[in-house]
Amino acid sequence: MLQLGFWKRLFIWGLVALGLLLALPNAFYTRVEQSNDAVAAIEAGADTPENQALAGQWPEWLPSNLVNLGLDLRGGAHLLAEVQVADVYDARLQASWPEIRDALRPERSTVGTIRLQDSPAGTLRIRIGEASGMQTALGIVRGLARPVQTLTGAGSTDIVASGQGDLITVTLSDAEKQATDERTMQQSLEIVRRRIDEVGTREPTIQRQGSDRILIQVPGIGSAAELKALLGTTAQLTFNPVVTRTTDENASVAPGEKLVPSLDEKGVYYVIQTAPVVSGEDLVDAQPAFDQNGGPAVNFRFDSSGARRFGDYTAENIGSPFAIVLDNEVVSAPVIQSHIPGGSGIITGRFTVEQTTKLAVLLRAGALPAKMNFLEERTIGPELGQDSIEAGKLATGVAFAGVLIFMVLSYGLFGMFANIALIINIAMIFGLLSTIGATLTLPGIAGIVLTVGMAVDANVLVFERIREELKSARGPARAIELGYEKALSAILDANITTFITAVILFVMGSGPVRGFAITLGLGIVTSVFTAVYVTRLMVVMWYDRRRPKQIEV
């Protein structure tokens, strides 16, 4: 009656062995903090510091994934940043100038000359040559306005144009400002996340707080200064038409133009048009490479829209220079020799290999749409994490010991089987955490402690059911078999409802709540497996070996 086939036994022990093997690297691991060199190594594609810590102690052909400790356990950096959303208004208006200029040109006989004027923040001022053509000009500019998309559909238009004398003033509407603020925050969140992910940092906490703030917590990074350096680099790439080249740092520029220095040539400046032909937002890929002379460079590729604009510009301006501008410095200003279709190119300069690797990372992540002011910054040292780890170990150890003693006193030998399964259960939880790269936090430790208490519930149900069957004058083998069969539905019902709760906590929660939900959910899965199948296999193997006439549970 008590039969488990060979292949079923092999499958159960195979899963147990796999779980133990996945958890074992954590026992050989000595944690190292990510210094500047470690972060640079990650950017260069080297092994992670965790894998480096295992080198020489753990065979390379075995699994080497480790449980990642959260900020509260490992230490790291905490930043609260305020996004200067109003900075985007000026960029948005400047980007509309070429479109407005091109729309007014066919009516020059009516509106006269069209010139961009110096404008205060948040406005775009355009002077026309003929004040009598103001109504015509306003009609054209207002015709360029687009509806602002809101949750309820299209709202008001994005720009508001007014005229006085011969001066047209263009501003963003209130609805467009609100939509711009939302886009800026969403883009900032995504770019911050991508920049941190690019350097291999796992499980950062990146959350929006209020209307214009972002909370950033990154475990394992050396200091808040390192995190600020990573986030503060804008890596804003643009391709701008060149007006002239000069050595005068005080050279005058016309409206719609700006003076920027050369990155490589000291004392050389370029007057370029403010409106770029294409920008880094059009990039879809950037990779470190080497130029035709063997020097470090960066290959880039535009999306379809950027490739079309880049190709059209190069076809129409053969023989003219254009500037590759990175963070308001001209990296190079080549002369367009021929039409460049396809949207691919290369950035060369006096780079090192490390600089091109970092530049490629930042270009792939994109440019921050607005400046961020850091209102709060903290570096959380590993001492706090070690205290938390020790407290968690103590709590887990006390709970573990209490459960082990209770099970032995209550169920004797069968309680020992449950205790062995409980040890396997905890190891399998760490094996799964290592495999999926989850982050263990203090709430996660609380989830493991809770799992220790909950894990034996299934065995208690089984053992109590076996006791009841023995009282009905059943034989030992039949009582054991019925005990597992009849308790299974109750075990599944109880654990499925708890697992659903863990899934909801993970999906709808964030930060500490998700850390608790992960360990709780994994603990439920491993608990059902070890309590129902592993203990049953141990009981069957014991019974086949001893064949007792009577058993005590």
Side-chain angles (χ1 to χ4, degrees), residues 92 142-150 153-159 173 175-176 179 183:
R92 169 78 171 76
R142 289 168 179 166
L144 298 175
R146 301 178 180 87
V148 179
Q149 295 297 324
T150 64
S156 61
T157 56
D158 58 349
I159 60 174
S173 66
E176 176 63 15
R183 288 194 301 267

PDB file of all heavy atoms in Angstrom, residues 92 142-150 153-159 173 175-176 179 183:
ATOM      1  N   ARG A  92      11.230  72.865 -24.438  1.00  0.00           N
ATOM      2  CA  ARG A  92      10.054  72.563 -25.254  1.00  0.00           C
ATOM      3  C   ARG A  92       9.735  73.719 -26.208  1.00  0.00           C
ATOM      4  O   ARG A  92       9.425  73.512 -27.383  1.00  0.00           O
ATOM      5  CB  ARG A  92       8.872  72.295 -24.312  1.00  0.00           C
ATOM      6  CG  ARG A  92       7.515  72.211 -24.959  1.00  0.00           C
ATOM      7  CD  ARG A  92       7.292  70.886 -25.630  1.00  0.00           C
ATOM      8  NE  ARG A  92       5.916  70.765 -26.055  1.00  0.00           N
ATOM      9  CZ  ARG A  92       5.384  71.364 -27.112  1.00  0.00           C
ATOM     10  NH1 ARG A  92       6.148  72.134 -27.875  1.00  0.00           N
ATOM     11  NH2 ARG A  92       4.120  71.185 -27.431  1.00  0.00           N
ATOM     12  N   ARG A 142      -0.962  79.968 -34.056  1.00  0.00           N
ATOM     13  CA  ARG A 142      -2.008  79.243 -33.327  1.00  0.00           C
ATOM     14  C   ARG A 142      -2.455  77.997 -34.074  1.00  0.00           C
ATOM     15  O   ARG A 142      -2.914  77.030 -33.473  1.00  0.00           O
ATOM     16  CB  ARG A 142      -3.195  80.159 -33.079  1.00  0.00           C
ATOM     17  CG  ARG A 142      -2.904  81.248 -32.044  1.00  0.00           C
ATOM     18  CD  ARG A 142      -3.968  82.314 -32.015  1.00  0.00           C
ATOM     19  NE  ARG A 142      -3.685  83.321 -30.999  1.00  0.00           N
ATOM     20  CZ  ARG A 142      -4.288  84.509 -30.905  1.00  0.00           C
ATOM     21  NH1 ARG A 142      -5.239  84.820 -31.800  1.00  0.00           N
ATOM     22  NH2 ARG A 142      -3.956  85.365 -29.963  1.00  0.00           N
ATOM     23  N   GLY A 143      -2.330  78.010 -35.397  1.00  0.00           N
ATOM     24  CA  GLY A 143      -2.679  76.825 -36.180  1.00  0.00           C
ATOM     25  C   GLY A 143      -1.726  75.668 -35.955  1.00  0.00           C
ATOM     26  O   GLY A 143      -2.049  74.519 -36.272  1.00  0.00           O
ATOM     27  N   LEU A 144      -0.545  75.960 -35.410  1.00  0.00           N
ATOM     28  CA  LEU A 144       0.424  74.903 -35.111  1.00  0.00           C
ATOM     29  C   LEU A 144       0.145  74.218 -33.779  1.00  0.00           C
ATOM     30  O   LEU A 144       0.771  73.205 -33.457  1.00  0.00           O
ATOM     31  CB  LEU A 144       1.850  75.477 -35.087  1.00  0.00           C
ATOM     32  CG  LEU A 144       2.354  76.092 -36.393  1.00  0.00           C
ATOM     33  CD1 LEU A 144       3.724  76.726 -36.176  1.00  0.00           C
ATOM     34  CD2 LEU A 144       2.424  75.029 -37.486  1.00  0.00           C
ATOM     35  N   ALA A 145      -0.762  74.796 -32.984  1.00  0.00           N
ATOM     36  CA  ALA A 145      -1.061  74.224 -31.669  1.00  0.00           C
ATOM     37  C   ALA A 145      -1.701  72.847 -31.824  1.00  0.00           C
ATOM     38  O   ALA A 145      -2.492  72.609 -32.734  1.00  0.00           O
ATOM     39  CB  ALA A 145      -1.993  75.156 -30.900  1.00  0.00           C
ATOM     40  N   ARG A 146      -1.341  71.971 -30.917  1.00  0.00           N
ATOM     41  CA  ARG A 146      -1.874  70.608 -30.920  1.00  0.00           C
ATOM     42  C   ARG A 146      -2.673  70.373 -29.638  1.00  0.00           C
ATOM     43  O   ARG A 146      -2.346  70.938 -28.596  1.00  0.00           O
ATOM     44  CB  ARG A 146      -0.750  69.585 -31.015  1.00  0.00           C
ATOM     45  CG  ARG A 146       0.109  69.729 -32.268  1.00  0.00           C
ATOM     46  CD  ARG A 146       1.228  68.709 -32.272  1.00  0.00           C
ATOM     47  NE  ARG A 146       2.064  68.823 -33.466  1.00  0.00           N
ATOM     48  CZ  ARG A 146       3.100  69.635 -33.568  1.00  0.00           C
ATOM     49  NH1 ARG A 146       3.437  70.416 -32.548  1.00  0.00           N
ATOM     50  NH2 ARG A 146       3.805  69.695 -34.686  1.00  0.00           N
ATOM     51  N   PRO A 147      -3.696  69.530 -29.704  1.00  0.00           N
ATOM     52  CA  PRO A 147      -4.460  69.242 -28.475  1.00  0.00           C
ATOM     53  C   PRO A 147      -3.611  68.474 -27.471  1.00  0.00           C
ATOM     54  O   PRO A 147      -2.792  67.638 -27.847  1.00  0.00           O
ATOM     55  CB  PRO A 147      -5.641  68.408 -28.978  1.00  0.00           C
ATOM     56  CG  PRO A 147      -5.170  67.823 -30.268  1.00  0.00           C
ATOM     57  CD  PRO A 147      -4.241  68.823 -30.872  1.00  0.00           C
ATOM     58  N   VAL A 148      -3.810  68.773 -26.207  1.00  0.00           N
ATOM     59  CA  VAL A 148      -3.099  68.083 -25.127  1.00  0.00           C
ATOM     60  C   VAL A 148      -3.889  66.853 -24.754  1.00  0.00           C
ATOM     61  O   VAL A 148      -5.079  66.940 -24.419  1.00  0.00           O
ATOM     62  CB  VAL A 148      -2.922  69.012 -23.897  1.00  0.00           C
ATOM     63  CG1 VAL A 148      -2.204  68.270 -22.771  1.00  0.00           C
ATOM     64  CG2 VAL A 148      -2.171  70.268 -24.289  1.00  0.00           C
ATOM     65  N   GLN A 149      -3.239  65.696 -24.810  1.00  0.00           N
ATOM     66  CA  GLN A 149      -3.909  64.448 -24.483  1.00  0.00           C
ATOM     67  C   GLN A 149      -3.956  64.259 -22.970  1.00  0.00           C
ATOM     68  O   GLN A 149      -2.937  64.302 -22.303  1.00  0.00           O
ATOM     69  CB  GLN A 149      -3.189  63.262 -25.132  1.00  0.00           C
ATOM     70  CG  GLN A 149      -3.221  63.279 -26.653  1.00  0.00           C
ATOM     71  CD  GLN A 149      -4.629  63.169 -27.197  1.00  0.00           C
ATOM     72  OE1 GLN A 149      -5.465  62.472 -26.638  1.00  0.00           O
ATOM     73  NE2 GLN A 149      -4.900  63.870 -28.293  1.00  0.00           N
ATOM     74  N   THR A 150      -5.153  64.058 -22.449  1.00  0.00           N
ATOM     75  CA  THR A 150      -5.329  63.804 -21.021  1.00  0.00           C
ATOM     76  C   THR A 150      -6.043  62.474 -20.839  1.00  0.00           C
ATOM     77  O   THR A 150      -6.405  61.803 -21.813  1.00  0.00           O
ATOM     78  CB  THR A 150      -6.153  64.918 -20.353  1.00  0.00           C
ATOM     79  OG1 THR A 150      -7.478  64.918 -20.916  1.00  0.00           O
ATOM     80  CG2 THR A 150      -5.518  66.281 -20.594  1.00  0.00           C
ATOM     81  N   GLY A 153      -9.249  62.335 -22.595  1.00  0.00           N
ATOM     82  CA  GLY A 153      -9.257  62.626 -24.023  1.00  0.00           C
ATOM     83  C   GLY A 153      -8.458  63.882 -24.314  1.00  0.00           C
ATOM     84  O   GLY A 153      -7.609  64.309 -23.538  1.00  0.00           O
ATOM     85  N   ALA A 154      -8.710  64.476 -25.466  1.00  0.00           N
ATOM     86  CA  ALA A 154      -7.985  65.669 -25.872  1.00  0.00           C
ATOM     87  C   ALA A 154      -8.509  66.881 -25.116  1.00  0.00           C
ATOM     88  O   ALA A 154      -9.709  67.142 -25.082  1.00  0.00           O
ATOM     89  CB  ALA A 154      -8.127  65.879 -27.375  1.00  0.00           C
ATOM     90  N   GLY A 155      -7.589  67.612 -24.507  1.00  0.00           N
ATOM     91  CA  GLY A 155      -7.987  68.804 -23.769  1.00  0.00           C
ATOM     92  C   GLY A 155      -7.692  70.056 -24.566  1.00  0.00           C
ATOM     93  O   GLY A 155      -7.896  70.106 -25.778  1.00  0.00           O
ATOM     94  N   SER A 156      -7.187  71.100 -23.894  1.00  0.00           N
ATOM     95  CA  SER A 156      -6.862  72.354 -24.573  1.00  0.00           C
ATOM     96  C   SER A 156      -5.597  72.183 -25.401  1.00  0.00           C
ATOM     97  O   SER A 156      -4.946  71.141 -25.378  1.00  0.00           O
ATOM     98  CB  SER A 156      -6.679  73.454 -23.530  1.00  0.00           C
ATOM     99  OG  SER A 156      -5.611  73.144 -22.657  1.00  0.00           O
ATOM    100  N   THR A 157      -5.228  73.233 -26.131  1.00  0.00           N
ATOM    101  CA  THR A 157      -4.047  73.158 -26.988  1.00  0.00           C
ATOM    102  C   THR A 157      -2.778  73.318 -26.171  1.00  0.00           C
ATOM    103  O   THR A 157      -2.801  73.795 -25.031  1.00  0.00           O
ATOM    104  CB  THR A 157      -4.112  74.254 -28.055  1.00  0.00           C
ATOM    105  OG1 THR A 157      -4.260  75.537 -27.421  1.00  0.00           O
ATOM    106  CG2 THR A 157      -5.297  74.008 -28.973  1.00  0.00           C
ATOM    107  N   ASP A 158      -1.631  72.929 -26.772  1.00  0.00           N
ATOM    108  CA  ASP A 158      -0.384  72.907 -26.018  1.00  0.00           C
ATOM    109  C   ASP A 158       0.286  74.270 -25.916  1.00  0.00           C
ATOM    110  O   ASP A 158       1.030  74.521 -24.960  1.00  0.00           O
ATOM    111  CB  ASP A 158       0.579  71.886 -26.619  1.00  0.00           C
ATOM    112  CG  ASP A 158       0.876  72.168 -28.092  1.00  0.00           C
ATOM    113  OD1 ASP A 158       0.183  73.015 -28.699  1.00  0.00           O
ATOM    114  OD2 ASP A 158       1.791  71.528 -28.643  1.00  0.00           O
ATOM    115  N   ILE A 159       0.080  75.171 -26.893  1.00  0.00           N
ATOM    116  CA  ILE A 159       0.727  76.483 -26.832  1.00  0.00           C
ATOM    117  C   ILE A 159      -0.315  77.596 -26.889  1.00  0.00           C
ATOM    118  O   ILE A 159      -1.418  77.412 -27.412  1.00  0.00           O
ATOM    119  CB  ILE A 159       1.757  76.665 -27.976  1.00  0.00           C
ATOM    120  CG1 ILE A 159       1.082  76.538 -29.343  1.00  0.00           C
ATOM    121  CG2 ILE A 159       2.913  75.690 -27.822  1.00  0.00           C
ATOM    122  CD1 ILE A 159       2.015  76.864 -30.503  1.00  0.00           C
ATOM    123  N   SER A 173       0.535  76.251 -22.519  1.00  0.00           N
ATOM    124  CA  SER A 173      -0.719  76.339 -21.769  1.00  0.00           C
ATOM    125  C   SER A 173      -0.576  75.600 -20.439  1.00  0.00           C
ATOM    126  O   SER A 173       0.343  74.792 -20.247  1.00  0.00           O
ATOM    127  CB  SER A 173      -1.865  75.735 -22.578  1.00  0.00           C
ATOM    128  OG  SER A 173      -1.669  74.340 -22.741  1.00  0.00           O
ATOM    129  N   ALA A 175      -2.486  73.303 -19.263  1.00  0.00           N
ATOM    130  CA  ALA A 175      -2.688  71.870 -19.476  1.00  0.00           C
ATOM    131  C   ALA A 175      -1.424  71.210 -20.005  1.00  0.00           C
ATOM    132  O   ALA A 175      -1.062  70.096 -19.601  1.00  0.00           O
ATOM    133  CB  ALA A 175      -3.848  71.639 -20.446  1.00  0.00           C
ATOM    134  N   GLU A 176      -0.717  71.908 -20.906  1.00  0.00           N
ATOM    135  CA  GLU A 176       0.519  71.359 -21.451  1.00  0.00           C
ATOM    136  C   GLU A 176       1.606  71.311 -20.381  1.00  0.00           C
ATOM    137  O   GLU A 176       2.422  70.378 -20.345  1.00  0.00           O
ATOM    138  CB  GLU A 176       0.982  72.189 -22.646  1.00  0.00           C
ATOM    139  CG  GLU A 176       2.316  71.771 -23.239  1.00  0.00           C
ATOM    140  CD  GLU A 176       2.292  70.359 -23.808  1.00  0.00           C
ATOM    141  OE1 GLU A 176       1.195  69.801 -24.014  1.00  0.00           O
ATOM    142  OE2 GLU A 176       3.385  69.812 -24.053  1.00  0.00           O
ATOM    143  N   ALA A 179       0.905  68.252 -18.340  1.00  0.00           N
ATOM    144  CA  ALA A 179       1.269  67.052 -19.090  1.00  0.00           C
ATOM    145  C   ALA A 179       2.789  66.924 -19.207  1.00  0.00           C
ATOM    146  O   ALA A 179       3.339  65.822 -19.111  1.00  0.00           O
ATOM    147  CB  ALA A 179       0.627  67.093 -20.476  1.00  0.00           C
ATOM    148  N   ARG A 183       5.177  63.859 -17.935  1.00  0.00           N
ATOM    149  CA  ARG A 183       6.116  63.176 -18.829  1.00  0.00           C
ATOM    150  C   ARG A 183       7.541  63.273 -18.304  1.00  0.00           C
ATOM    151  O   ARG A 183       8.312  62.310 -18.373  1.00  0.00           O
ATOM    152  CB  ARG A 183       6.034  63.774 -20.242  1.00  0.00           C
ATOM    153  CG  ARG A 183       4.771  63.434 -21.002  1.00  0.00           C
ATOM    154  CD  ARG A 183       4.928  63.764 -22.475  1.00  0.00           C
ATOM    155  NE  ARG A 183       5.227  65.163 -22.702  1.00  0.00           N
ATOM    156  CZ  ARG A 183       4.325  66.101 -22.933  1.00  0.00           C
ATOM    157  NH1 ARG A 183       3.042  65.784 -22.958  1.00  0.00           N
ATOM    158  NH2 ARG A 183       4.683  67.356 -23.141  1.00  0.00           N
TER     159      ARG A 183
END
